[in-house]
Amino acid sequence: MEKTSTPTHCPYCALQCGMNITPLPQGGVEVTERADFPVNRGALCGKGRTAAEVLSPAVRLTTPLVREGGRLVEADWTEALDRIAGRLAATRERYGPDALGVFGGGGLTNEKAYALGKFARVALGTSQIDYNGRFCMSSAAAAGTKAFGLDRGLPFPLEDIPRTGCVILVGSNLAETMPPSLRFFTELRENGGTLIVVDPRRTRTAQQADLHLAPRPGTDLALALGLLHLVVAEGRTDEEYIRERTTGWEEARAAAMAHWPEYVERITGVPVPRLREAVRMFCEPEAAMVLTARGPEQQSKGTDTVGAWINLCLATGRAGRPLSGYGCLTGQGNGQGGREHGQKADQLPGYRKLDDPAARRHVAGVWGVDPDSLPGPGRSAYELLDALGSDVRALLLMGSNPVVSAPRAAHVEERLRSLDFLAVADVVLSETAELADVVLPVTQWAEETGTTTSLEGRVLLRRRAVAPPPGVHSDLYVLHELAGRLGVEKGFPTDPEEVFGELRRASAGGPADYSGITYRRLTEENGVFWPCPEEPAGTSGAEGADAASSAVSEAPAASDASASVRHPGTPRLFLDRFATPDGRARFVAVAHRAAAEEPDAEYPLLLTTGRVVSQYQSGAQTRRVAELNAAAPGPFVELHPRLAARLGAAEGDPLAVVSRRGRAVAPARITDTIRPDTVFMPFHWPGEGRANTLTNPALDPTSRMPEFKSCAVRVEVVPRS
């Protein structure tokens, strides 16, 4: 029997690597390389190769569960859905609609994220909705919007990276978080370009760099300002570009000049000669880029920190030009699309603002409701979790595991336990699902069709390749059934292409305009970059582009008869103008300030957190794959030999890391690749080694991003029993 393969995309990170899924005659499926997708060209990391193992009924949920007598027991779908709808309705009746909370995830498809936001605002009438993407890219999104008028993770495709002259990679260990992407940086160096990595650890990525800068955690803002100071002092600014394409330079320049090199060295620990070398490497080529990830973003000053790196690009004329610019390496599989279409507390579909009357009118018109009926902006993710059990009495959660992933996780777990009612829809019985009153088993990547948007802003089509186990339904089915039980009979279809058609209309004319994208185009063109407005008949793609998309586009036109009226999509933003009212980028004057929590006598060290190559996010899925667990079996505490000697710790000794929020215990991993004043823990595991027990929920005032990347701790050797 001939095997039939389905081309699709990986369920994990924002690279959304192409892969083929083939059902096997003996059962199960095979994942194979797909060379035609330009991001990975057939390469897959271990997580992608083993992704099909989570499809097995042996490791995933296959039947609804309800809590009886303190235990989760099996139930049928009617009972489970009736119980959820009944409790949500009763809570709303007693306490009002804002007593209902909804928490989503950056792994949900665009269709599911869109439907979840609509469900919260139309079926429940609540403002209390946010998602775990707030923990990932929100600071970069806020800074990009301030500077450019538009946030899209990368304003250019990854294929541009090897052709630029220099990349400064800030706070990203992509050799472990996005392994297939490392080849773009390898090719950069092979082509004569240079790579600068900013990270307090000499990671596998930093080992590939031409220059590694290792600042103290929480000081990336000072570092960026110090580099800009040197750019000015050495006469390396692009005055013509600043004059013609930007505003706000004088204020930003004055702020940067207060950060002289020796002062920055004292703050960051990065020697002045290395600062000067970084400026030389960045400024000498004709083109250069700055790419940030969670390191500078997951801080209580993350928006200002990213803004300072953007200022460096603007001052040197490195934004809105070919092979140059600022970009954010989005983390979650649909972290980009997930924040564009309505599951974020302050946004409506198409990246419209919820407090914009015109946006409310447009989306309400698509939804067939009164604009005044839509609630206003609600709490951000951590603030929503912190309000559970008090202001928010019942929660519907889809595709997230905050018991492991949220900051101050023990407190968040306590808040979840204090709810009157918790319903969770997920693929596996995560640590959060274990606390629920009702758990619904839902389909996953290979069992459903839907779109995601990669870190490049490329909208992609994941295709259903296999049937789900009997008794497993999609999240769209869940929302359809709950909405009907809550009295909203129409508006929540279960067909993903129908939902996407509505999303297209809702996004039309917005910053993230998907109206010109169809499932057919995604199949024919291997993805389409947004913005991609729908073209009136008889116009060309270039004539139909709006201010946000007036950039050179090299997306291929489709081959059918309608190709002449198709907008081609926008691989490269800002080449003609920025998406601001006057078309100019905005400098934002920022100054260094300390982290929310600095070391002291009681907590003399800094903790930073991150990922390892063989696990993903909260580990809810990857910890169920034997090969990945063998490679990364559990948490650890990484520390410098000098610190280990001071503590009397040997390799493998159990160490207790203690912060003002709690205590985590894990084995010592001693290495000289980390600063002596810093310890590192990966955050993939629950239990006593849960890193996020320790992390600080101090929030950025603009993005509401928690400060995962820096908190004060002490480390103690735990006596072996």
Side-chain angles (χ1 to χ4, degrees), residues 496-710:
E497 189 167 8
E498 185 177 349
V499 177
F500 189 75
E502 185 179 300
L503 181 158
R504 293 173 59 211
R505 297 192 300 275
S507 73
D513 190 334
Y514 283 32
S515 61
I517 303 174
T518 64
Y519 275 25
R520 179 179 177 182
R521 285 195 66 180
L522 295 177
T523 300
E524 293 173 345
E525 300 174 30
N526 219 353
V528 178
F529 291 85
W530 72 260
C532 182
E534 188 171 33
E535 294 297 345
T539 66
S540 70
E543 292 167 347
D546 62 11
S549 61
S550 58
V552 173
S553 172
E554 298 175 4
S559 57
D560 67 19
S562 65
S564 62
V565 298
R566 285 182 173 180
H567 186 285
T570 315
R572 297 170 181 86
L573 294 168
F574 313 138
L575 296 184
D576 298 327
R577 69 192 310 275
F578 295 97
T580 55
D582 61 4
R584 292 171 174 263
R586 300 185 183 97
F587 283 97
V588 178
V590 294
H592 170 72
R593 60 184 186 274
E597 186 176 80
E598 291 287 345
D600 57 20
E602 187 176 3
Y603 301 98
L605 300 168
L606 287 167
L607 169 72
T608 192
T609 64
R611 287 169 47 190
V612 297
V613 66
S614 293
Q615 300 289 352
Y616 181 73
Q617 304 298 70
S618 75
Q621 295 184 48
T622 51
R623 284 186 276 112
R624 288 167 166 80
V625 177
E627 179 182 327
L628 301 179
N629 276 335
F636 56 87
V637 181
E638 186 177 283
L639 70 165
H640 193 275
R642 292 211 300 268
L643 176 57
R646 194 161 73 242
L647 295 170
E651 181 76 14
D653 281 352
L655 298 180
V657 183
V658 184
S659 78
R660 289 178 174 85
R661 289 152 296 280
R663 181 176 187 264
V665 178
R669 182 174 293 182
I670 301 171
T671 174
D672 63 1
T673 61
I674 191 169
R675 292 175 55 96
D677 58 3
T678 300
V679 295
F680 167 83
M681 291 186 71
F683 57 74
H684 308 289
W685 288 273
E688 71 170 4
R690 181 174 59 186
N692 277 320
T693 296
L694 309 168
T695 49
N696 191 353
L699 301 180
D700 180 288
T702 302
S703 68
R704 315 309 288 169
M705 167 78 84
E707 191 154 66
F708 287 98
K709 288 304 181 191
S710 176

Side-chain angles (χ1 to χ4, degrees), residues 85 89 191 214-215 226 248 286 288 300 309 330 359 361 404 498 545 558 591 613 621 716:
N191 291 341
E286 183 177 345
S300 61
W309 288 104
T330 303
R361 285 193 301 273
V404 178
E498 185 177 349
V613 66
Q621 295 184 48
E716 304 163 346

